[in-house]
Amino acid sequence: MHPIAGWLRHAVLALGLSLTALAAHADKNADQIRADMQAGRWTQAEQRLEGVIARHPDNALAYYWYAQVLEKQGRKDAAAQALARAETLAPDERFAGNREQLAQLKRRLGVEAAAPAKVEEAAPAVVAAPPAPRQEAPPAEPEHRGSGMTWIFVVAGGLLVVLILVSRRSGGSALKQQRQRWTAEINDTIKDLADAQLVSDANPALSEAQRLSNYDRVRLVKSDLSAALGSLATMSDFSPLLQLTLRARDIAAELRGEERPSDRMRREQQAQLDRDAEIAAGRGQPGYGPGYAQPAGGGSSWLRDAALIGGGAVLGSMIGGASAHGRRDDSWTNSSSNAASGGSLHLPDDDDRWRGGGGVDVGGSDAGFDFGGSDSSSD
């Protein structure tokens, strides 16, 4: 692979993994605030939410959580202002996971509910029936992981396309270099055969019939080499050339009375197998050296990079989910101390804990709301 292509491949991989880390950090920030509210750590939740609102003033979900945290601390006026801001940013109230808890919060803050529909003037004597209890909408599933992973996969896909294009271009350059190398190798092999033929012709120990036999062998293999040289411009699989040049080198060595290269290669391969056996038996030290296979590279490296980028994204999502699950489990074991410190978290079912069964609603959809960025507060 060309050095520039290799550098770009590593840069793309680093960028993809960095984006994964950023997405995981944004999920963690929202989970930290949710955990603080469920545990009754109102001061820490307030500090984190103030940081989010300062960076993202259009985050309706952050204002809704902020209103609940302020109300828990007895600051009703500020809580009412925060709730009004949340409803202004999201009039459909999609930030609320539990509409009944939202209504209770409004009553505690003295916020007027939406005006009921007017009774038709055509029937003034009919007393309007009391409104049916509002059907509680099912809590929206938290979507921060899905939304975060969507754009990270889009970016990773774009990076992968760029990497494939660069790899193909560098692969074409590598193919050209391979053809140039084999052109030189075939020409050198033909020259080697011609020199060996001269040695055979000048050998007084050979009979005329033996010299003619050697001449025929050289002529045939030179013909095969010339044909391969003519088709090299369209060739992409060079393995047949290796066998052909090795056979030609063997003939040249026989004409000189030298050891054949193929015999030497088999001897070296056997020595390699013996060394590998010693390493496997614990009598040697593994390592790279003459005859040892080096780590493979080449055109398929972009596949490994794609797997790393995709694997990094999935791993970031798994880590975020595991950390959130761990914080949820902590809320069970610390429920008694939470109640004593002002939090009213109890031990309901799993859905209640995510909706804020202790009097806070943290189950609203955060799709489209950004909780990313650094946070200076600590647990």
Side-chain angles (χ1 to χ4, degrees), residues 152-175:
I152 195 66
F153 277 119
V154 169
V155 174
L159 295 175
L160 182 58
V161 170
V162 174
L163 190 57
I164 292 174
L165 294 176
V166 173
S167 298
R168 285 182 177 177
R169 176 172 293 184
S170 62
S173 177
L175 188 62

Side-chain angles (χ1 to χ4, degrees), residues 27-354:
D27 290 347
K28 180 181 178 182
N29 199 19
D31 287 340
Q32 287 176 337
I33 298 172
R34 180 183 286 108
D36 287 339
M37 293 176 65
Q38 291 177 325
R41 297 190 291 266
W42 311 120
T43 302
Q44 292 186 20
E46 178 184 358
Q47 292 175 353
R48 295 185 193 277
L49 286 167
E50 286 175 350
V52 172
I53 291 173
R55 293 187 299 272
H56 310 288
D58 295 332
N59 190 328
L61 182 61
Y63 275 104
Y64 177 50
W65 288 2
Y66 191 47
Q68 295 180 78
V69 169
L70 294 176
E71 191 268 339
K72 287 295 183 181
Q73 299 179 83
R75 297 153 62 185
K76 294 187 176 182
D77 291 341
Q81 293 177 4
L83 181 59
R85 178 60 177 165
E87 292 184 318
T88 300
L89 293 171
D92 58 357
E93 297 180 347
R94 70 182 185 275
F95 52 76
N98 188 321
R99 298 303 178 97
E100 180 59 30
Q101 287 192 351
L102 173 60
Q104 293 176 7
L105 176 63
K106 289 182 178 181
R107 286 194 292 270
R108 291 196 301 270
L109 297 177
V111 178
E112 291 293 335
K118 290 185 178 180
V119 179
E120 292 185 5
E121 296 180 0
V126 179
V127 178
R134 186 170 185 175
Q135 187 72 20
E136 180 180 342
E141 292 293 332
E143 299 179 5
H144 58 279
R145 293 183 186 85
S147 59
M149 291 309 300
T150 298
W151 66 262
I152 195 66
F153 277 119
V154 169
V155 174
L159 295 175
L160 182 58
V161 170
V162 174
L163 190 57
I164 292 174
L165 294 176
V166 173
S167 298
R168 285 182 177 177
R169 176 172 293 184
S170 62
S173 177
L175 188 62
K176 182 179 179 180
Q177 293 176 359
Q178 283 277 67
R179 288 170 179 166
Q180 292 174 348
R181 187 178 73 84
W182 277 109
T183 299
E185 175 67 20
I186 291 174
N187 286 327
D188 187 61
T189 303
I190 292 175
K191 184 178 180 301
D192 188 30
L193 283 168
D195 293 341
Q197 180 66 58
L198 294 177
V199 173
S200 174
D201 292 342
N203 189 351
L206 298 178
S207 66
E208 186 65 24
Q210 289 174 322
R211 292 192 187 97
L212 289 175
S213 177
N214 290 339
Y215 173 81
D216 289 338
R217 293 176 66 192
V218 170
R219 181 176 57 82
L220 290 174
V221 75
K222 285 175 67 175
S223 177
D224 292 340
L225 288 169
S226 297
L229 192 61
S231 62
L232 192 59
T234 59
M235 189 177 296
S236 58
D237 181 14
F238 304 103
S239 55
L241 294 182
L242 178 61
Q243 299 298 325
L244 177 59
T245 53
L246 184 60
R247 178 163 61 90
R249 297 284 187 177
D250 282 349
I251 293 174
E254 290 174 1
L255 266 59
R256 293 192 185 94
E258 300 172 350
E259 181 184 20
R260 300 195 312 172
S262 59
D263 293 339
R264 184 172 63 252
M265 289 178 60
R266 280 192 289 270
R267 188 179 68 253
E268 292 174 352
Q269 290 173 356
Q270 185 60 47
Q272 169 68 49
L273 293 175
D274 293 341
R275 286 193 293 268
D276 290 343
E278 290 180 358
I279 292 173
R283 295 193 298 272
Q285 296 298 325
Y288 296 113
Y292 279 76
Q294 300 294 325
S300 63
S301 58
W302 63 267
L303 253 182
R304 295 193 298 271
D305 294 340
L308 285 173
I309 292 175
V314 174
L315 182 59
S317 177
M318 293 173 61
I319 292 174
S323 62
H325 180 73
R327 286 190 290 274
R328 292 171 64 186
D329 288 344
D330 289 343
S331 67
W332 285 79
T333 57
N334 297 333
S335 58
S336 299
S337 61
N338 290 339
S341 63
S344 55
L345 193 65
H346 54 88
L347 296 178
D349 58 49
D350 188 69
D351 290 337
D352 259 355
R353 284 187 287 126
W354 274 107

